Amino acid sequence: MYRTHNCGELRISDVGKEVTLSGWAQTIRDKGFMMWIDLRDRYGVTQLLFNEEISTPELFKAARTVGREYVIQAKGVVIERISKNDKIPTGDIEIEVKELTILNASKVPPFTIEDDTDGGDDLRMKYRYLDLRRNTVQQNIIFRSKLAIETRKYLAGKDFLEIETPFLIKSTPEGARDFIVPSRMNPGQFYALPQSPQTFKQILMVAGMDKYFQIVKCFRDEDLRADRQPEFTQIDCEMAFVTQEEVLATFEGLTKHLFKAIKNINLPDFPLMTYDEAVRRFGSDKPDLRFGMEFTELNDVAQNKGFKVFDSVELVVGINASGAGEYSRKQIDELTEFVQRPQIGAKGLVYVKYNADGSFKSSVDKFFSQSDLNSWAEKMGAKPGDLMLVLAGEEEKTRKQLNELRLEMGRRLGLMKPGDFKPLWVVDFPLLEWDEDTERFYAMHHPFTSPKKDDVSRMLDGDHETMKSLRADAYDLVINGVEIGGGSIRIHDRALQERNFKLLGFTPEEAEAQFGFLMGAFEYGAPPHGGIAFGFDRLCAVMNGQNSIRDFIAFPKNNMGRDMMIDAPSPVHKEQLDELHLRQVGVEEKKG
Amino acid sequence: MYRTHNCGELRISDVGKEVTLSGWAQTIRDKGFMMWIDLRDRYGVTQLLFNEEISTPELFKAARTVGREYVIQAKGVVIERISKNDKIPTGDIEIEVKELTILNASKVPPFTIEDDTDGGDDLRMKYRYLDLRRNTVQQNIIFRSKLAIETRKYLAGKDFLEIETPFLIKSTPEGARDFIVPSRMNPGQFYALPQSPQTFKQILMVAGMDKYFQIVKCFRDEDLRADRQPEFTQIDCEMAFVTQEEVLATFEGLTKHLFKAIKNINLPDFPLMTYDEAVRRFGSDKPDLRFGMEFTELNDVAQNKGFKVFDSVELVVGINASGAGEYSRKQIDELTEFVQRPQIGAKGLVYVKYNADGSFKSSVDKFFSQSDLNSWAEKMGAKPGDLMLVLAGEEEKTRKQLNELRLEMGRRLGLMKPGDFKPLWVVDFPLLEWDEDTERFYAMHHPFTSPKKDDVSRMLDGDHETMKSLRADAYDLVINGVEIGGGSIRIHDRALQERNFKLLGFTPEEAEAQFGFLMGAFEYGAPPHGGIAFGFDRLCAVMNGQNSIRDFIAFPKNNMGRDMMIDAPSPVHKEQLDELHLRQVGVEEKKG
């Protein structure tokens, strides 16, 4: 037996006990006649004491050979510490060591195993097993495990069945790019890895499973942005015989449970906001509600006053940054540069300072009188000491730009408080989304999303504006400006599904080839159903107030989709490709 | 709201309640003035009543349009049934329907949705959503979900962390064939789908995670036998700072918990049997202990009596089939044919009937006296009324043949009782296994399995017999003759791992290219560790006394690795292959 206790559990009440501990040598202090080793494992740190007066010379000598990250086993007696450490739960005791075994040596790690490490990203990814030893990363992985357990506990308690759906499925060109897997037994044919279990969970509803969930890996072969992974995890759910209201209630319940069980935070009821309202008030379908700074439309008070930039545009819209009235020229220039960055693309930024004396100082003083600016202030609810920031242009773009500026002001003013969680449901999403590049409509959620009942009759109307105005029974769960989950009530009627595919530009043959099995299933007693999928990696990050999902994944890939530790992907032997009836084109093959 | 209750929960105490139910029309009985529809969902069946005297003509007419498997919603009042049905929990009541809504129609299903369906395998696979509605299949899926929940509950309660390991990893030629996934972002390179998370879970131990588990999909591109799937599920576990004893105790605990929690069966402590003992006593490393019929070696009493077939062989070995002494000539011929089948390959079968009068009748009466045969009976513990069955030949082969015969006799004599569960641990497996075809040694478990401490020093000895005699710290959990789980204590020392790779015929370069990351990790403080993996699909089947795993998988593939429902795998567009720098050879490409 390697240990009687772990390194986190011994207390003052254990004094006198003979114990055996195993773990990693975290720090080693040698005072000549005394030596201490902090022994670390997942559960904590316990101090080992070697005392020249008591220990044998052999033991003392052995202790001297121990280096950082060595794996050792120590037998000894729990004693009370003379100088206690109240920062760790084991800080009242130490182990007077009688026997020491070096279980494994360690080279000097390429970076320090500390919360603030000196290792760069690449080094940490290559030696991920050392990075994972760091307390911060380890806690993230432990958090994730707890979150999964609590999710399952909650859903199982609500009669959900966890059902595994297959990983080797069929490639469908709709949506993101699939990873494909050649089939050796079926030459010329390929599986695809699922982008989500969408069609399978709907099939499970047709199969009468009633309530399904799964915490499941999904795959997308997309060019990776900073915070995307080719494989990611979803909490995937579906329910039969439900309305939107019941789906939202169930998953609001889940979310509240997770925050309570793991972070001991009681979330209030989640407000509901339509997509249109969210866009109007915040310029975004995922507003961060930790702060206000809502949009105020200024067309009626800012247009036709002689400022041509405003007069010619669709929308003049502003936010009031409370307490930023003292912003310097430099700070305002920074904001202007911020909105003019190509990713945001505003032409310029109008600011109005509401001075402490009640006067206004703005970048458009030439065109607007103090009284004009006062009417802006009134509309925006600004007070002396505030800074009003105004953008103008084409409606949709300008709202998006102002959303970015609002978030930037939220960051600058410290309004995105860690530990503050503001969830909401965004509902009534558009059914379709126009894509300028391909000049066609795409499903905003996916092709299986049901239009709202009142909009079904208008679905045959091919008129562009009508199409844009169609609304779906689709909903997103947003927390602190991050989309955590999204779902919809699904179509369960073959005719309506066909009509939807047609709107999306599928020929009947294409629809049949890709989704014939689902439409077929709809003909054999498909119940009304709906569901949701939560981004599990993102939920982990948001609940911990972090932006990056990567540190919540045990073995993440880098931006080239590469696992730096195992060095994958990698070339394969020509024989492997031969068996699959494949040949590489324009790349060198590995010799067998 | 589609329902106030499900179809399984209403009782006599609910009489008088206004309820709404939704579900599938299971059976429809029309007596002219009265109609009954059995409404089914996952939770049960509730009888709907339509009564001409009370119902409106419109309602009655609507009810007449309902067909089998229609999805309907019924509002009404719970009333006490006149003729109760004590076979179902809702059998005391029925619903007097006031409102009926047809939520979806259904075509006539291609097979009946009954426990004993008339659908063949292919039809059931194609319409899997209908097959899954059948109570037997649905109960299997529900069982599986419960088993997963209980597994997680138990392991989480023992401080195990559930940690997801990646699906896009690196191809390694050792072991079974990998499914590979071309990487678009890294042309000429491929991921592989994991055959198991083996190296990752070991890395997690090096990373200090201490106790890991995962219920995880694994992939093997093998030619499929009747009961294999290209994707299958493991309960995958690993622990640091453990000996074999502690691993076995933990997973014996898990197994007992699962049987208790789900089947209310208290399993006794699991016996331990070495591999050598299992092979000696039962001719198998996975003996079915629901019955005895142990092997008796007869060389000393059966050889050198003038029967040349016996005299020239390595081993004469038999079993005593208690109570089979009355077997007819025909039955014994069947047994002879059974052992002579090419899959088994015995040359012949010797039988000895122990007659009720104490005399013996055998197929070798010419060579053996009654007294000779009596000495066999004494060795085998046979009694009047028993049948002794004896095989002879090369030791290893003969034991395997007799194992098959023993199992066949177990089946014939009804000794494999459903509901009887006999688990055991088989331990001390050989480290290496000789393969006649490739004339080399393979790892019996896998290359990361630790040899037993006493055998490490002999690992350098290249002698064939020494190699065969090396024992590993490897163990299998066997229940009723089925291997449910297998694992080992792992090597955690770089030098020993290198030596093992060398024994297995790896060049140092091959070992480094494939497993360099793991051997590298061993240099940075790798703790002693070990683990186990349970075949989750198989555990489901065994716990239900079934042989086939397929009905415990929601969407299984057929023997050609094909999903008959979605029709995968399938051809992909040439553009998809172009992006991956791949071209097909010898198969037709799909036009874009």
Side-chain angles (χ1 to χ4, degrees), chain A residues 321-392:
Chain A
S322 194
E326 301 293 321
Y327 261 38
S328 65
R329 180 75 231 172
K330 180 163 169 284
Q331 284 173 302
I332 289 178
D333 285 350
E334 280 170 13
L335 295 180
T336 307
E337 279 159 28
F338 175 83
V339 296
Q340 286 177 334
R341 289 158 52 182
Q343 308 94 300
I344 298 182
K347 294 220 174 87
L349 173 67
V350 168
Y351 75 86
V352 184
K353 286 185 179 179
Y354 200 151
N355 297 320
D357 64 2
S359 69
F360 297 95
K361 170 79 192 83
S362 83
S363 54
V364 287
D365 282 348
K366 262 191 254 179
F367 306 99
F368 297 94
S369 68
Q370 290 283 305
S371 148
D372 287 338
L373 297 175
N374 191 53
S375 67
W376 295 18
E378 272 176 18
K379 277 208 100 156
M380 295 172 81
K383 293 190 187 62
D386 289 356
L387 174 68
M388 292 175 271
L389 298 166
V390 178
L391 293 176

Side-chain angles (χ1 to χ4, degrees), chain B residues 546-562:
Chain B
Q546 297 195 19
N547 293 320
S548 168
I549 63 172
R550 206 179 273 183
D551 274 346
F552 293 87
I553 297 172
F555 301 103
K557 292 188 172 56
N558 74 7
N559 286 353
M560 284 303 290
R562 179 162 289 281

Side-chain angles (χ1 to χ4, degrees), chain B residues 290-315:
Chain B
R290 281 177 296 181
F291 60 102
M293 223 188 275
E294 292 193 23
F295 289 14
T296 306
E297 294 176 23
L298 299 170
N299 288 29
D300 55 347
V301 290
Q303 287 185 323
N304 306 317
K305 299 278 177 179
F307 185 44
K308 283 197 180 153
V309 175
F310 281 4
D311 291 351
S312 59
V313 298
E314 259 180 36
L315 180 69

Side-chain angles (χ1 to χ4, degrees), chain B residues 157-297:
Chain B
K158 300 274 179 204
D159 275 335
F160 281 79
L161 299 176
E162 183 159 26
I163 303 176
E164 294 168 61
T165 51
F167 280 81
L168 297 172
I169 66 167
K170 187 153 92 169
S171 184
T172 53
E174 185 71 12
R177 202 185 281 107
D178 286 321
F179 282 105
I180 60 171
V181 184
S183 166
R184 182 182 51 88
M185 286 208 280
N186 302 274
Q189 301 191 20
F190 296 78
Y191 302 101
L193 299 179
Q195 295 185 30
S196 96
Q198 182 62 35
T199 52
F200 286 96
K201 68 177 175 177
Q202 292 192 241
I203 288 283
L204 286 172
M205 294 304 102
V206 181
M209 291 300 168
D210 206 69
K211 292 179 182 176
Y212 144 92
F213 86 101
Q214 198 181 186
I215 301 184
V216 63
K217 274 280 175 76
C218 301
F219 304 86
R220 274 178 211 173
D221 184 12
E222 288 175 333
D223 296 320
L224 301 177
R225 295 189 310 227
D227 203 29
R228 275 215 189 141
Q229 289 282 318
E231 46 180 310
F232 55 96
T233 305
Q234 276 185 195
I235 307 174
D236 193 53
C237 306
E238 197 78 6
M239 306 167 79
F241 300 115
V242 286
T243 58
Q244 170 172 306
E245 207 179 352
E246 290 160 292
V247 178
L248 300 199
T250 302
F251 293 96
E252 186 165 325
L254 169 64
T255 310
K256 285 177 176 173
H257 171 78
L258 295 176
F259 273 85
K260 180 64 188 170
I262 303 185
K263 297 189 74 80
N264 198 27
I265 290 174
N266 289 301
L267 292 181
D269 289 346
F270 301 2
L272 231 70
M273 198 180 286
T274 66
Y275 173 88
D276 287 344
E277 185 185 349
V279 168
R280 188 163 38 77
R281 289 172 58 192
F282 301 98
S284 166
D285 59 2
K286 39 178 194 278
D288 189 334
L289 297 191
R290 281 177 296 181
F291 60 102
M293 223 188 275
E294 292 193 23
F295 289 14
T296 306
E297 294 176 23

Side-chain angles (χ1 to χ4, degrees), chain A residues 179-192:
Chain A
F179 282 105
I180 61 171
V181 184
S183 165
R184 181 181 53 87
M185 285 207 280
N186 301 273
Q189 302 192 16
F190 297 78
Y191 302 101

